[in-house]
């Protein structure tokens, strides 16, 4: 069973930065693509970023390109989301997910963390 735990969320002013971390408890972490999704109140969960098992390929939502960076450390079984130039519309619960491919569809991911709140104020 794969368990994912996010951390690093918090309250930040617009223009600020946060770094989210996701710790995975699985022997085969390096075999998983990892993704970040977010869900604002009253909205559907949306794709943010994904990274392949090797870290060689990344995918970003248009809304975060140039501002967010996804990375991973397979030795430490960690995935990160560096968020810069944050905007109020980035406010959401951010979820870490693991699956076979680095894709945008949430249904393709098999395991999910509990989420961490990110709030960006004006």
């Amino acid at each position: 069973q794969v368990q994912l735990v996010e951390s690093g969320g918090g309250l930040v002013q617009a223009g600020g930065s946060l770094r989210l971390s996701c710790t995975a408890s699985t022997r085969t972490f390096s075999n998983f693509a990892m993704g970040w999704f977010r869900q604002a109140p009253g909205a559907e969960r949306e794709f943010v970023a994904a990274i392949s098992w090797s870290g060689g390929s990344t995918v970003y939502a248009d809304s975060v390109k140039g501002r967010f960076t996804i990375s991973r450390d397979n030795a430490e079984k960690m995935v990160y989301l560096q968020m810069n130039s944050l905007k109020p519309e980035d406010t959401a619960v951010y979820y870490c997910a693991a699956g076979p491919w680095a894709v945008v569809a949430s249904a393709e991911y098999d395991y999910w963390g509990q989420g961490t709140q990110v709030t960006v104020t004006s």
Side-chain angles (χ1 to χ4, degrees), residues 88-107:
E89 52 262 45
D90 294 319
T91 296
V93 176
Y94 283 70
Y95 297 90
C96 176
W101 311 103
V103 295
V104 303
S106 61

Side-chain angles (χ1 to χ4, degrees), residues 30-77:
S30 62
N31 296 134
F32 289 98
M34 302 294 296
W36 286 98
F37 293 78
R38 66 188 183 187
Q39 187 169 24
E44 295 184 345
R45 187 171 299 183
E46 65 176 349
F47 171 78
V48 176
I51 187 167
S52 63
W53 68 269
S54 67
S57 298
T58 57
V59 185
Y60 295 94
D62 289 341
S63 60
V64 306
K65 286 182 179 177
R67 299 189 298 121
F68 292 9
T69 302
I70 187 171
S71 61
R72 68 189 296 162
D73 185 337
N74 287 347
E76 298 296 327
K77 299 181 179 179

Side-chain angles (χ1 to χ4, degrees), residues 4-56:
L4 305 174
V5 180
E6 304 95 333
S7 63
L11 182 67
V12 65
Q13 294 183 358
S17 298
L18 285 174
R19 189 191 194 198
L20 305 184
S21 299
C22 176
T23 301
S25 298
T26 174
R27 180 179 58 84
T28 57
F29 176 77
S30 62
N31 296 134
F32 289 98
M34 302 294 296
W36 286 98
F37 293 78
R38 66 188 183 187
Q39 187 169 24
E44 295 184 345
R45 187 171 299 183
E46 65 176 349
F47 171 78
V48 176
I51 187 167
S52 63
W53 68 269
S54 67

